[in-house]
Amino acid sequence: MSSSKSGYIAIVGRPNVGKSTLLNHLLEQKISITSRKPQTTRNNVLGIKTVGRVQMLFVDTPGIHKGQDKAINKYMNKTASSALKDVDVVVFVVDKVQWTEEDVWVQQQVANVSCPVIIAINKVDQINDKADLLPHLQRLSEALPNAELVPISALKNQNLDKLEALVTAFLPEGEHFFSEDQITDKSSRFLASEIVREKITRQLGDEVPYQTAVEIEEFVEEGRLITISAAILVERSGQKKMLIGDKGERIKQIGQQARLDMEKLFDSKIMLNLWVKVKRGWSDDERALRSLGFDE
């Protein structure tokens, strides 16, 4: 009988290249929130996939981005960079044939790791002229000569089997860390707060989502019913008004969409109560960030 394999795989890249979508499709289950807006992911999220004797522990990281001196941005960069230490494989996700300053910045960090690196060129289904891909592949192989290159489409599930086979080949032999039916190490409270945050991010314009956080104040399971109460923190009263919407319509919509996702995830009936609180400057206050669980 072949021995088992197990190891950690960091999924890294600049914001908005499709890291969370990739994790969800690899797991065939949604545990990492997604939106078209960059910097949706704030914490490292562990996704566990066990196939026979192989256990892959994928770490979805916040997008590594330059600039922005707020405490929350520094926290997100530190969180993403810390995932590069002590992993067995790095999957560096890039977006089609785009190559920006931020990609270069991530590449410089990835160049320092001692483990195998796979570059996943995502969204290749959106490249109209495939001839554009060749010079890009050339540039990537020059930037990271020892990396394996895999063109994929996370959203369309294209070539993910090849990516998974490569990851498996690189994993060390060893016992599994988690039971085979576990898909994440995150608590139900964390997952519930992330679902609410995703709906806010998808509903609102560019500015407000980055100045919101979700605090779960109650999570009570009684048989097949879970009662969840969550406070949405914003920085200014104008944002509170925007979040609530005309006659409370927007927050009602956010609540309905979040509840449906939670019912699917937790396989239970959900009673969800949401309200909005103004907490000025929370995103640049390290103590406030710690109280919201940002130092986990």
Side-chain angles (χ1 to χ4, degrees):
M1 189 188 273
S2 64
S3 58
S4 54
K5 294 182 109 181
S6 183
Y8 284 86
I9 305 106
I11 302 175
V12 300
R14 66 171 166 81
N16 224 19
V17 290
K19 298 180 295 297
S20 299
T21 301
L22 176 59
L23 175 67
N24 291 336
H25 281 265
L26 286 166
L27 297 178
E28 295 169 35
Q29 184 151 353
K30 180 173 174 171
I31 64 154
S32 208
I33 69 169
T34 61
S35 88
R36 290 177 186 275
K37 298 183 175 72
Q39 297 167 38
T40 302
T41 302
R42 287 177 179 169
N43 303 69
N44 286 341
V45 176
L46 185 70
I48 303 160
K49 182 166 187 174
T50 309
V51 183
R53 304 192 62 73
V54 178
Q55 186 167 81
M56 293 168 267
L57 308 168
F58 292 101
V59 186
D60 181 23
T61 62
I64 298 174
H65 54 287
K66 290 185 84 168
Q68 296 177 310
D69 292 329
K70 276 194 167 186
I72 189 164
N73 296 98
K74 288 178 186 164
Y75 164 82
M76 285 157 67
N77 275 339
K78 197 172 113 194
T79 302
S81 301
S82 72
L84 289 170
K85 300 182 184 111
D86 309 323
V87 291
D88 302 288
V89 184
V90 170
V91 175
F92 173 21
V93 185
V94 298
D95 185 349
K96 304 189 285 290
V97 292
Q98 293 172 9
W99 188 248
T100 68
E101 254 184 75
E102 287 188 322
D103 289 303
V104 173
W105 203 45
V106 182
Q107 171 233 314
Q108 287 165 352
Q109 300 207 37
V110 169
N112 296 322
V113 303
S114 50
C115 65
V117 174
I118 301 165
I119 303 175
I121 301 101
N122 194 19
K123 309 179 191 176
V124 289
D125 56 307
Q126 296 172 18
I127 300 172
N128 298 324
D129 187 353
K130 293 291 185 266
D132 294 344
L133 194 52
L134 288 171
H136 187 49
L137 293 176
Q138 183 69 35
R139 180 170 54 220
L140 291 170
S141 59
E142 284 167 12
L144 292 163
N146 297 322
E148 296 276 351
L149 303 181
V150 190
I152 62 163
S153 168
L155 199 58
K156 301 276 172 68
N157 275 332
Q158 286 173 10
N159 238 10
L160 297 194
D161 50 348
K162 184 175 179 195
L163 177 63
E164 216 172 283
L166 264 176
V167 166
T168 301
F170 286 136
L171 288 183
E173 294 191 353
E175 293 304 308
H176 292 178
F177 294 94
F178 298 92
S179 64
E180 63 180 65
D181 57 353
Q182 197 170 339
I183 59 153
T184 185
D185 65 337
K186 289 294 184 188
S187 67
S188 298
R189 291 175 83 99
F190 173 84
L191 294 172
S193 71
E194 286 287 271
I195 286 171
V196 174
R197 204 164 59 77
E198 176 187 74
K199 302 312 169 197
I200 296 165
T201 306
R202 289 183 168 201
Q203 278 274 337
L204 290 164
D206 283 341
E207 184 202 355
V208 177
Y210 305 123
Q211 297 182 3
T212 59
V214 178
E215 205 169 9
I216 301 294
E217 299 194 342
E218 180 189 29
F219 193 105
V220 181
E221 298 182 54
E222 293 165 302
R224 300 273 301 145
L225 173 73
I226 305 176
T227 304
I228 300 170
S229 300
I232 301 168
L233 305 184
V234 293
E235 303 219 330
R236 299 194 296 277
S237 47
Q239 295 167 338
K240 177 176 180 174
K241 205 178 282 182
M242 211 182 286
L243 246 175
I244 291 169
D246 188 34
K247 300 191 177 91
E249 270 308 302
R250 179 167 274 143
I251 194 145
K252 196 170 143 193
Q253 232 173 351
I254 290 166
Q256 283 170 345
Q257 292 170 0
R259 186 176 52 75
L260 291 174
D261 268 18
M262 288 177 192
E263 289 187 336
K264 212 179 285 178
L265 180 67
F266 300 129
D267 195 21
S268 297
K269 185 107 183 73
I270 302 287
M271 190 156 162
L272 177 64
N273 307 305
L274 297 178
W275 57 90
V276 187
K277 278 204 279 203
V278 178
K279 189 169 185 174
R280 294 183 194 283
W282 71 264
S283 66
D284 203 20
D285 178 343
E286 295 197 10
R287 203 178 65 199
L289 289 171
R290 278 197 299 277
S291 76
L292 289 165
F294 281 101
D295 61 344
E296 286 176 7

